[in-house]
Each structure stands twice: as structure tokens, then as C-alpha cells.
């Protein structure tokens, strides 16, 4: 089977704890009932918000992307992706109790394996980890890593502490060891306000502010020295938007030149580190509508390797069926659709894809 496109951001919907009950052990299954635990909706994507799913994607129960056939019908058959990476945004990250978070992360990854990966060979997935406890997070990476259909470790853009801080490093060590990029997806565990100024009033302000979180995480990972310690670690910024990056890197690299003695382990410009170690998915593509302006923005990234195809299905990032934003140069299309994802995700190497898809 030819690799036509790899969709690097697709969201399977877990509609509630009842779905996960078969994947929890007896103690936790009883606890869900006895404690009356409600569903863990993702606060970053409240199900009734229009952006959560296009109306034509929603089923009669109001949800979209609730089973593998529904996802592959849209993403693979209609939009022509030969493979898709599932990033599940069920609210495991919001839980305060570390043990409950661990139990639900395990159940979620097992549910993804059985109900999604086992049902269609075109699907791959990210490992959801309980960031509430780094030891548990590493355990979950180690538990899932032997299944090569897990191609990435998934965390949210806004955490309790900046991602680069040393206490997170065992997660990066495990990810690098297994050839798993760290996927940072828009979203928050809501331990801190989603803007650096405090809590906003509206959902639209929350969602718009996500780019601030991504910028701070890029700065944190680089200045703390994560890539000096783990040079092979790749980071994928998922649903971050794209156009904020060139201006941010100009500022970051300029101040690094002036204050680099403070971070001696950062031995080259942040712009260079980002070009080598970071990638971005293309939806939402926060670009001007003029194709010429889009071309210039892509030029400002100064690398053809950085952008990865994504639809963000079923989230509503674009109308119609135009998967690649207007203005993306023709010569770059194949790189975005196929070559860049293959170069980013070690576990998506051509041989294993062709094997699984045949
Ligand atoms: Zn997404």
C-alpha cells in the first residue's frame, strides 16, 4: 500500500468512564461506582463547544470520532490519509489523585489498543501519561513502548511546572530511549491560569492563549538544557499554530546571544535547536488568507522539514475538504504529507508501515 499521507493529529473520543470500565481493574471499577466518579471530559475541548467537532461530524449522541470505522472513513477514505496518529484528549491530566490518574491512563491506553489499533492497521497512537507523577509516567511509557503502534508520548501544553524542569527529565530519557517523540498538544491541566496574566473569562480567550503556553514550553525545554542531555529527543508541537514561531525565535535567539552565559549548556542558537528537534502539525494553520503571505511565512521557518500534516479531526479547524492550507508551495506538499512525518516518527519508518498496511 502506498503511503499517501500521515495524519499526525486525530482525536478519538472517549465518551465517558463507562467505556473504560472493562479496562480498569476490579478495585478501580468498584471505585468509579462507589465514589460516583463522573466522566473526565477534556476541559480544553468541552463537548458542546462548536470547535470540538464540526456539526457534520457529530453523531446522534452529539459526539464525533467515537469508533475506529468512523475515524478512518473520514480521515483515510475521504481525506486520503494512509495512516493516522490518534491523540486521545480524555481528561486524565485533570485528575488530582496520582493513583487514579495512573489507573485511568493505563485504561485509556489499553482501550486505544483494543478498540482502535487492533481494529484498523492504518491507525497509530500516542501514549497518554499521568504527568501527576513522573515515576508513574515513565512506567506507562515502558509498559506501552513494546507495542510499536504507539509512536509518541503525549502531554498537554500547560502543566503544573514548565516541561524543561529537571524533575521531568526521566520522561525524556524514556522517550528518547524508545524513539518516541514528545508530542505537546494544546490543552491545560488547569493547575495554573491559561494566560500568564491570570484566569481569563471566556473559552475563546483560553483557546487563543494556548500559543503562550507553547512558547513558554519551547523556551523551557531549550534553556533548561533538555536537548544537551537528550540530543535525539524530538518534540512535536501539536495544534499550536505555526505563525507565532518565527517572531518568537527571533526574540529568543537574540536574548540568548546576550545572556547565554547563564545557560552554558545551550551551545547554539535556539533557532537552530528548534530546527533540529522541533516539528509542528499544520492545523490550525493560523495564517493570512493570501497564499503569497503563507509562502513567506513558510520561508520564515527557514526549514522544509518542520511541518507535519494533520487534520485535527474531528475538531473544527477548517471547512470543506482542503487538507493542505492554500499557499503551501507545491514542492513542500509531499514533504508535509509523507516525508516529514516519516522522518519525525522513528516508528513510522516505511518498512513497518508498508508491512502493517498490506
Ligand atoms: Zn488536536
Amino acid at each position: 500500500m502506498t503511503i499517501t499521507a500521515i495524519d499526525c493529529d486525530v482525536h478519538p473520543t472517549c465518551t465517558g468512564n463507562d467505556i473504560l470500565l472493562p479496562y480498569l481493574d476490579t478495585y478501580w471499577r468498584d471505585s468509579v461506582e462507589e465514589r460516583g466518579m463522573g466522566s473526565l471530559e477534556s476541559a480544553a475541548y468541552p463537548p458542546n463547544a462548536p470547535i470540538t467537532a464540526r456539526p457534520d461530524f457529530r453523531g446522534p449522541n452529539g459526539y464525533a470520532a467515537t469508533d475506529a470505522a468512523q475515524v478512518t472513513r473520514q480521515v483515510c477514505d475521504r481525506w486520503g490519509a494512509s495512516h493516522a496518529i490518534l491523540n486521545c484528549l480524555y481528561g486524565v491530566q485533570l485528575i488530582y489523585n496520582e493513583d487514579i490518574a495512573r489507573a485511568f491512563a493505563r485504561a485509556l491506553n489499553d482501550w486505544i489498543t483494543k478498540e482502535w489499533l487492533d481494529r484498523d492497521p492504518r491507525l497509530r497512537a500516542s501514549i497518554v501519561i499521568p504527568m501527576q507523577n513522573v515515576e508513574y509516567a515513565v512506567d506507562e511509557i515502558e509498559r506501552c513502548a513494546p507495542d510499536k503502534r504507539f509512536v509518541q508520548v503525549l502531554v498537554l501544553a500547560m502543566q503544573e511546572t514548565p516541561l524543561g524542569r529537571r524533575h521531568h527529565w526521566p520522561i525524556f530519557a524514556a522517550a528518547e530511549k524508545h524513539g518516541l517523540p514528545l508530542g505537546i498538544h494544546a490543552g491545560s491541566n488547569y493547575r495554573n491560569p491559561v494566560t500568564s496574566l491570570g484566569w481569563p473569562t471566556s473559552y475563546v480567550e483560553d483557546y487563543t492563549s494556548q500559543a503562550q503556553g507553547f512558547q513558554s514550553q519551547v523556551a523551557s525545554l531549550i534553556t533548561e538544557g533538555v536537548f544537551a542531555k537528550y540530543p535525539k529527543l524530538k518534540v512535536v508541537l501539536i495544534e499550536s499554530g505555526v505563525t507565532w514561531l518565527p517572531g518568537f525565535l527571533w526574540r529568543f535567539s537574540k536574548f540568548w546571544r546576550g545572556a547565554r552565559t547563564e545557560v552554558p549548556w545551550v551551545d547554539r542558537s535556539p533557532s537552530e535547536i528548534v530546527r533540529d528537534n522541533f516539528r509542528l502539525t499544520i492545523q490550525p494553520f493560523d495564517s493570512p488568507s493570501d497564499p503569497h503571505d503563507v509562502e513567506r511565512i513558510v520561508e520564515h521557518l527557514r526549514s522544509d522539514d518542520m511541518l507535519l500534516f494533520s487534520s485535527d479531526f474531528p475538531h473544527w479547524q477548517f471547512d470543506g475538504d482542503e487538507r493542505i492550507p492554500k499557499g503551501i508551495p507545491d514542492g513542500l506538499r509531499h514533504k508535509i504529507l509523507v516525508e516529514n512525518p516519516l522522518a519525525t516518527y522513528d516508528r513510522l519508518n516505511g518498512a513497518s508501515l508498508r508491512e502493517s498496511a498490506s
Side-chain angles (χ1 to χ4, degrees), residues 9 11 185 239 312 315:
D9 189 28
H11 298 289
H185 193 283
E239 212 181 306
D312 199 25
H315 298 159

Side-chain angles (χ1 to χ4, degrees), residues 82-145:
S82 49
H83 297 84
I85 301 173
L86 304 172
N87 295 319
C88 189
L89 297 179
Y90 195 55
V92 169
Q93 296 86 355
L94 301 174
I95 300 168
Y96 283 91
N97 180 306
E98 296 174 11
D99 297 314
I100 299 177
R102 174 168 67 170
F104 273 87
R106 290 176 69 110
L108 197 64
N109 291 321
D110 288 346
W111 172 72
I112 289 283
T113 304
K114 288 278 173 303
E115 302 295 333
W116 296 79
L117 301 181
D118 285 355
R119 285 178 193 263
D120 197 303
R122 294 172 291 187
L123 298 176
R124 299 292 184 277
S126 297
I127 304 169
V128 175
I129 55 172
M131 286 292 279
Q132 293 87 337
N133 179 307
V134 170
E135 206 178 319
Y136 290 176
V138 171
D139 285 350
E140 192 56 12
I141 295 172
E142 294 293 342
R143 193 181 74 87
C144 296

